[in-house]
């Protein structure tokens, strides 16, 4: 922990978002948890733990699994969206071609945008649940145990 310019206590924990909770609020409205007095070496020990976890193979595996899903998914969706916009602007005759009654190709492609958004969201949640959540939770638990063991923030 360290003192800020205003004289109040701030946390050195990188996962603690002190700015968001106190931004734009009066000092009386902000109820911070009671500050613990730690030895001077404790914040650096906690920071070292987070850096150690970030460099660990388990953390890198979680990040790799995240990137392996998100990057191709985002690229595919962006290409699909750009193809829809380019087709709508360059070939309006194709988009205006009727399919059934008043429904045309452009309407189906526009509804397909919504459908692919929902499908991509479902696939992302499923991927996170099956391939990342358990490993991330174990990492978080291990990190908290390490910070408690070395006298860091908890």
């Amino acid at each position: 922990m360290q003192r800020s310019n205003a004289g109040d206590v701030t946390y050195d924990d990188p996962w603690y978002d002190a700015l968001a909770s106190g931004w734009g609020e009066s000092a009386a409205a902000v109820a911070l948890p009671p500050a613990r007095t730690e030895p001077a070496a404790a914040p650096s020990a906690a920071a070292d733990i987070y850096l150690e976890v970030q460099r660990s193979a388990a953390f890198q595996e979680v990040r790799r699994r995240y990137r392996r899903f998100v990057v191709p998914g985002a690229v595919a969706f962006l290409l699909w969206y750009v193809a829809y916009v380019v087709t709508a602007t360059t070939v309006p005759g194709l988009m205006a071609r009727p399919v059934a009654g008043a429904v045309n190709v452009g309407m189906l492609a526009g509804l397909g945008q919504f459908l692919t958004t929902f499908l991509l969201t479902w696939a992302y949640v499923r991927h996170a649940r099956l391939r990342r959540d358990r490993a991330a939770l174990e990492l978080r638990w291990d990190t908290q145990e390490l910070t408690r063991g070395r006298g860091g923030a908890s």
Side-chain angles (χ1 to χ4, degrees):
M1 282 186 258
Q2 61 187 18
R3 297 227 175 250
S4 68
N5 292 340
D8 55 345
V9 176
T10 60
Y11 288 93
D12 251 354
D13 187 343
W15 291 356
Y16 184 78
D17 194 7
L19 292 177
S21 65
W23 184 72
E25 298 173 0
S26 66
V30 177
L32 291 175
R36 287 179 36 187
T37 56
E38 296 285 338
S44 64
D48 291 341
I49 289 170
Y50 289 115
L51 289 174
E52 180 183 326
V53 169
Q54 184 180 9
R55 293 181 187 123
S56 72
F59 182 83
Q60 296 302 321
E61 177 65 20
V62 170
R63 295 299 297 163
R64 186 181 64 78
R65 289 178 184 179
Y66 171 78
R67 283 190 300 267
R68 277 183 41 190
F69 180 85
V70 169
V71 171
V75 168
F77 187 79
L78 184 63
L79 287 174
W80 161 228
Y81 176 74
V82 169
Y84 171 71
V85 171
V86 168
T87 304
T89 56
T90 58
V91 193
L94 172 67
M95 298 299 260
R97 181 174 295 158
V99 175
V103 178
N104 59 23
V105 173
M107 291 172 105
L108 291 178
L111 290 173
Q113 291 286 317
F114 286 103
L115 179 65
T116 54
T117 301
F118 293 124
L119 287 175
L120 188 60
T121 302
W122 169 80
Y124 174 80
V125 169
R126 183 175 185 275
H127 179 268
R129 186 183 69 242
L130 295 176
R131 298 210 168 45
R132 292 193 330 263
D133 285 352
R134 180 160 301 186
L137 187 61
E138 288 173 5
L139 254 174
R140 185 175 182 185
W141 181 259
D142 292 345
T143 303
Q144 289 175 352
E145 289 298 314
L146 284 171
T147 56
R148 286 187 192 110
R150 292 192 193 171
S154 61

